[in-house]
Amino acid sequence: MQLTPMAPKCGVEVSGVKLAQCSDAEMQEIKQAIYEYGVAVFRDQEFTPEDHITFGRRWGGIDVNNYFPLQDDYNEIAVVKKEPDQQTNIGGAWHTDHSYDQIPAMGSVLVARHLPPKGGDTMWAHMGAAYDALSDELKAAVEGLEAFHTADHVYKADGLYAQTDMAKSLRGQDLKTGAIHPVVIRHPHTGRKLLYVNSAFTIHFVGQTRAESMPLLQQLFDAALTGDNQCRLEWKPGTVAIWDNRTTWHNAMNDYHGHYREMHRITLSGEALAA
Ligand code: SIN
């Protein structure tokens, strides 16, 4: 297996392995690469929906997403799609998935099924590099802080997505979510310090109102995108990306209006997070 970094501080392209047939030793190597680089990209994969599900179960279990439409015959696979006449895409702003769960999903396995002729790239930003780049003053300011995360404002019946042309395809509008996590977590496997707030789902610091929290939160959201902690993936048929939600934020580019894009996503089960 060969690892080629995609950018100085985020992402790795992995070649010389077939995900659908990988050995246990290769699976361990893949996991380690994803924990460290945040996202790993695999090209030219033959990866059927059955392979996708088998891989997710082998990794350690699948968390079915409560909001996205599910694949008809394979209910563990969420369909992330945009029709030619839609304006809004799923995941088209920086975020990390499932931080609103007390035990957030570890990450996702995203498979390109139908791509627009141009555009529709995905970007990731490394939150270990983001933490390292914080000033000593900011590091001291967030030491010991916890934050509250929820998805209700995004998915509820009158939430952000409800006001878009994505509304009709979503589920779970009655759900209530809420979780508290340390602002700086340690990666459960590498021990690296990671900045764990995101502008989509992090609402306020514990013990502070939204208004009190926002100045520091905004500083952290800005600092999380330092410029040299990001990588960008141009999808091709047969591309699979696997990322770690604790280590990264991601952002799906919405620059292919008038074209169809369909991706299949399995969300991998995670573990409780700690400082
Ligand atoms: C997402 O999981 O947020 C969507 C990613 C993508 O469609 O590229």
Side-chain angles (χ1 to χ4, degrees), residues 30-247:
I30 290 168
K31 285 186 176 184
Q32 199 55 36
I34 292 164
Y35 296 152
E36 284 172 20
Y37 290 90
V39 55
V41 170
F42 305 83
R43 300 287 191 185
D44 302 319
Q45 298 291 315
E46 282 169 30
F47 208 55
T48 65
E50 288 87 353
D51 294 333
H52 200 175
I53 291 170
T54 303
F55 185 88
R57 289 187 185 147
R58 258 186 95 191
W59 183 290
I62 296 172
D63 274 9
V64 177
N65 182 279
N66 288 322
Y67 301 108
F68 302 156
L70 302 176
Q71 175 74 351
D72 282 346
D73 300 327
Y74 303 97
N75 276 190
E76 285 150 300
I77 299 178
V79 181
V80 175
K81 69 175 176 182
K82 180 172 171 245
E83 305 280 352
D85 62 351
Q86 279 182 312
Q87 293 302 309
T88 313
N89 68 335
I90 289 178
W94 284 106
H95 66 286
T96 190
D97 298 331
H98 292 222
S99 72
Y100 45 80
D101 289 334
Q102 200 55 55
I103 300 194
M106 173 268 144
S108 283
V109 183
L110 191 69
V111 183
R113 293 296 181 203
H114 193 287
L115 294 170
K118 197 166 173 302
D121 295 358
T122 307
M123 295 184 71
W124 285 267
H126 199 293
M127 291 301 117
Y131 176 79
D132 292 349
L134 292 182
S135 64
D136 288 345
E137 208 182 346
L138 266 184
K139 282 182 180 157
V142 295
E143 186 67 38
L145 279 184
E146 293 182 312
F148 175 74
H149 302 237
T150 180
D152 296 356
H153 59 293
V154 178
Y155 294 110
K156 67 183 177 181
D158 59 352
L160 293 178
Y161 270 129
Q163 293 156 40
T164 72
D165 57 5
M166 188 56 70
K168 61 181 185 313
S169 52
L170 292 176
R171 304 155 37 243
Q173 291 176 321
D174 298 337
L175 292 174
K176 287 266 169 285
T177 56
I180 290 174
H181 304 292
V183 168
V184 179
I185 57 166
R186 287 222 179 243
H187 191 282
H189 298 277
T190 66
R192 185 168 180 183
K193 280 189 166 186
L194 307 167
L195 185 60
Y196 195 71
V197 289
N198 69 93
S199 45
F201 303 123
T202 311
I203 308 300
H204 61 81
F205 297 118
V206 172
Q208 298 182 25
T209 64
R210 170 87 171 157
E212 287 163 347
S213 306
M214 262 332 277
L216 180 55
L217 266 183
Q218 192 58 55
Q219 265 186 288
L220 297 175
F221 297 155
D222 294 343
L225 299 171
T226 60
D228 69 345
N229 70 335
Q230 296 170 38
C231 66
R232 183 174 183 131
L233 169 62
E234 187 183 340
W235 295 90
K236 294 189 170 73
T239 302
V240 178
I242 308 177
W243 69 84
D244 183 330
N245 280 325
R246 293 80 53 99
T247 311

